Amino acid sequence: MEIKGIKEGILVKFHDQEWQNAKKALIQTLQDKQTFFDGAQLVLDVGHCVLGTHAIEVLQKKLNQHNISLYGLVSKSMITQEAAQKMGLITKLEKSKKKTDQKLEPSDVVLAGESAVLIRRTMRSGFTVKYKGHVAVIGDVNPGAEIIASGSVIVWGRLRGTVHAGADGDLTAIVCALDLSPTQLRIASKIAITPEGQAEPKPEVARIIDEQIVAEPWLN
Amino acid sequence: MNGKVVAIISGKGGVGKTTTAANLGIALATLGQKVVCIDTDIGLRNLDVVLGLENRIVYDLVDVVEGRCRLTQAMVRDRRYENLHLIPAAQTRDKSAVSASDMVRLCEELRSMADWIVIDSPAGIERGFRNAIAPADQVLVITNPEVSSLRDADRIIGLVEAEEKGPAQLIINRINPEMVKRGDMLSISDVIELLAIPLIGIVPEDETVLISTNSGQPVVLNEKSKAGLAFLNIGKRLLGEEVPWVSLNVKAGLLSRLGQLFSGET
Ligand SMILES: Nc1ncnc2c1ncn2[C@@H]1O[C@H](COP(=O)(O)OP(=O)(O)OP(=O)(O)O)[C@@H](O)[C@H]1O
Ligand SMILES: [Mg+2]
């Protein structure tokens, strides 16, 4: 059984069960989650189950006892659909007009983000950030400071501390900075140190290529 | 009177906190300010020695905190300047005798008696450091142009920021222009670039510092000493004066950049 909130109220969907079993399970759930369902408007998706008007009436009464009103009944069976329609129930969920409106509503096209923290300050010696996700710093990461992220690390500033990206083993994690001169840089289980006497500071990105950490200029 | 409390801290030991506290105290006194220096380095007191006041001590900081004497009784008056006093640290007692709130209370009282309260602190980031910054209005961080002292200064600046006592101001002590030129010492711009806080003083390496320390006559009293002049300038900057930066054979470009960094800061 699947329960989710929809525009019309609460949708309970059965996965091809016999109706009697499905109903039992439903009543049990309603009792268990009484406060959740209290006053709810319910839409049932009964799959292939065949329900006549009588069966629906019985169900409706039962639901009313729980202070729930049956609003819709979705089914693959024509018989069930007709019976439901006769009783004034909806038989189709309003498709959340996605297809047509999508381009107009920015909220619908937002990409699923990944979790990250943003640190807007200089990270000084002795300070550590540990995060399950990505870490972004606006400021310098000084020697003696440490960043440990399961994801990638981005520093808008000088990176001179210690950094460990992909700390849980993510080999695709990257580390980039406006000046990439870390005391030590790790990605997953690979370790690199900054060579002495680096040339002019420049934006670079470090990633694993062929089992090795490689730092490349941001624009190549 | 509403005195200002200045804490002098460093993280790493031996970089010149006590030297700075003594010289700054005298510098401010020569500039006509009423000054009280407090040595909070309990168990390792030496501000009294550097100021040449060791033999005048009767009571100390812990005596005041524990109520064995009145505040004014523990204030040792300087031999040279009657507007300069020292509250010495206790020599032998345990470090936990003074708390941050003791310091705040003590300084509240002192604010009505002096223009400046200069606190010399012990090295490290423990209790003594917290005692020093708790009452502070201004924090001066001392560093040497050397990697490990810089690292500790950075750490302690972070702690000052975390206590919302920032921005601290920076004093770079013991800079040796010759060594910087040879590339054997970090330059002023290296230090500032890393620490990224406003600079209030650059003090050169100067052997007269050691000599004067030993004789209890702080170097700021010596008009010929470059370090003495640097300390005097720090005092003037604290008073809001714009003092040009003494040339230490540093590149002109750098100094003009420093100028921009400090404008409006000191
Ligand atoms: N500019 C300078 N030139 C030469 N010597 C200096 C200079 N500044 C400090 N010194 C010397 O360095 C030594 C340590 O200085 P000082 O006692 O002021 O450091 P401190 O930070 O107070 O040390 P502690 O952490 O132990 O309290 C002293 O011998 C002092 O004379
Ligand atoms: Mg000292």
Side-chain angles (χ1 to χ4, degrees):
Chain A
M1 195 193 309
E2 203 178 297
I3 302 170
K4 65 178 180 187
I6 54 169
K7 213 166 168 184
E8 292 84 354
I10 298 173
L11 173 69
V12 177
K13 194 172 177 175
F14 299 107
H15 298 292
D16 283 317
Q17 267 168 310
E18 231 187 275
W19 174 239
Q20 288 310 324
N21 293 341
K23 193 166 94 177
K24 250 187 229 156
L26 174 64
I27 301 299
Q28 189 60 48
T29 308
L30 296 182
Q31 274 161 1
D32 293 347
K33 301 188 174 172
Q34 209 167 349
T35 43
F36 176 76
F37 282 104
D38 191 44
Q41 187 164 291
L42 201 66
V43 179
L44 287 183
D45 183 343
V46 297
H48 289 289
C49 291
V50 180
L51 273 70
T53 35
H54 179 68
I56 298 174
E57 262 170 21
V58 172
L59 175 68
Q60 234 168 1
K61 270 196 196 129
K62 196 82 195 162
L63 292 176
N64 289 342
Q65 284 169 13
H66 286 89
N67 192 26
I68 296 166
S69 64
L70 186 63
Y71 182 73
L73 190 60
V74 181
S75 171
K76 293 199 175 78
S77 145
M78 290 288 286
I79 299 170
T80 312
Q81 279 180 19
E82 261 172 43
Q85 270 162 12
K86 248 186 234 163
M87 299 181 66
L89 300 174
I90 65 155
T91 53
K92 270 193 191 122
L93 292 179
E94 201 178 322
K95 279 276 185 295
S96 45
K97 305 175 202 155
K98 260 184 196 151
K99 296 259 156 57
T100 47
D101 290 358
Q102 207 166 36
K103 286 181 196 90
L104 301 175
E105 286 185 34
S107 64
D108 283 351
V109 295
V110 161
L111 296 170
E114 293 173 31
S115 67
V117 276
L118 175 66
I119 296 153
R120 281 185 69 161
R121 59 182 300 169
T122 300
M123 283 188 63
R124 297 186 182 278
S125 173
F127 284 71
T128 301
V129 167
K130 258 189 200 169
Y131 190 70
K132 280 232 180 288
H134 310 294
V135 173
V137 181
I138 300 178
D140 292 346
V141 179
N142 284 355
E146 188 179 35
I147 297 175
I148 301 168
S150 66
S152 295
V153 176
I154 295 168
V155 178
W156 189 260
R158 306 183 189 95
L159 172 47
R160 294 191 275 203
T162 297
V163 59
H164 191 176
D168 295 341
D170 180 1
L171 298 163
T172 66
I174 62 165
V175 175
C176 50
L178 294 184
D179 175 6
L180 186 70
S181 325
T183 312
Q184 189 190 87
L185 188 156
R186 297 195 204 180
I187 298 176
S189 60
K190 307 290 177 210
I191 304 183
I193 53 174
T194 306
E196 291 284 324
Q198 270 239 329
E200 281 283 285
K202 56 181 180 294
E204 282 181 304
V205 53
R207 55 165 68 89
I208 297 182
I209 299 174
D210 293 337
E211 305 259 297
Q212 262 193 334
I213 296 179
V214 178
E216 295 169 312
W218 186 240
L219 299 166
N220 41 7
Chain B
M1 218 173 267
N2 188 17
K4 276 198 169 176
V5 180
V6 182
I8 297 174
I9 61 171
S10 70
K12 189 174 192 290
V15 299
K17 290 179 297 299
T18 302
T19 305
T20 302
N23 282 288
L24 190 57
I26 294 188
L28 288 167
T30 61
L31 294 166
Q33 302 288 301
K34 283 196 85 169
V35 184
V36 178
C37 292
I38 310 179
D39 187 351
T40 65
D41 199 349
I42 293 168
L44 287 171
R45 81 171 176 214
N46 50 29
L47 185 55
D48 54 320
V49 180
V50 178
L51 281 168
L53 301 176
E54 191 181 12
N55 54 8
R56 299 184 159 214
I57 294 174
V58 181
Y59 294 110
D60 58 43
L61 180 62
V62 174
D63 291 324
V64 178
V65 166
E66 293 182 349
R68 272 186 297 277
C69 70
R70 280 177 288 113
L71 177 57
T72 47
Q73 286 178 295
M75 290 165 59
V76 181
R77 209 183 80 192
D78 185 67
R79 291 181 276 137
R80 296 144 293 211
Y81 297 96
E82 62 171 23
N83 51 341
L84 173 64
H85 287 82
L86 166 72
I87 300 179
Q91 188 63 286
T92 53
R93 290 173 228 254
D94 81 306
K95 289 191 165 79
S96 60
V98 178
S99 71
S101 58
D102 288 333
M103 286 301 295
V104 171
R105 236 179 304 122
L106 189 86
C107 287
E108 272 323 304
E109 215 177 326
L110 287 170
R111 278 178 211 274
S112 62
M113 303 182 209
D115 301 299
W116 294 93
I117 296 120
V118 177
I119 303 179
D120 182 20
S121 70
I125 54 175
E126 288 85 36
R127 190 188 189 101
F129 153 70
R130 305 210 175 260
N131 283 353
I133 64 161
D137 303 310
Q138 254 170 296
V139 177
L140 306 188
V141 176
I142 318 287
T143 189
N144 296 152
E146 168 262 333
V147 172
S148 74
S149 123
L150 206 59
R151 182 74 63 93
D152 290 355
D154 189 44
R155 174 117 172 80
I156 212 157
I157 290 166
L159 296 174
V160 170
E161 285 169 354
E163 299 275 336
E164 297 185 344
K165 289 283 184 178
Q169 288 165 295
L170 183 67
I171 295 175
I172 306 174
N173 186 26
R174 306 192 77 156
I175 193 125
N176 180 333
E178 289 305 312
M179 285 180 75
V180 173
K181 244 198 307 197
R182 290 201 304 266
D184 292 336
M185 186 182 262
L186 292 171
S187 71
I188 293 165
S189 59
D190 290 336
V191 174
I192 291 177
E193 187 196 59
L194 182 85
L195 297 180
I197 58 170
L199 187 72
I200 191 172
I202 302 170
V203 183
E205 173 76 27
D206 185 343
E207 63 177 16
T208 57
V209 171
L210 185 66
I211 297 164
S212 60
T213 295
N214 290 339
S215 61
Q217 292 284 349
V219 72
V220 69
L221 296 163
N222 177 348
E223 278 159 25
K224 293 197 197 85
S225 159
K226 278 198 170 176
L229 180 60
F231 283 122
L232 185 64
N233 286 343
I234 294 170
K236 288 180 177 171
R237 291 191 187 106
L238 273 183
L239 294 178
E241 216 175 292
E242 273 205 26
V243 188
W245 295 87
V246 179
S247 168
L248 296 164
N249 301 334
V250 239
K251 282 172 277 168
L254 170 63
L255 282 177
S256 60
R257 239 174 68 202
L258 294 184
Q260 287 167 13
L261 253 174
F262 316 134
S263 55
E265 293 287 357
T266 51

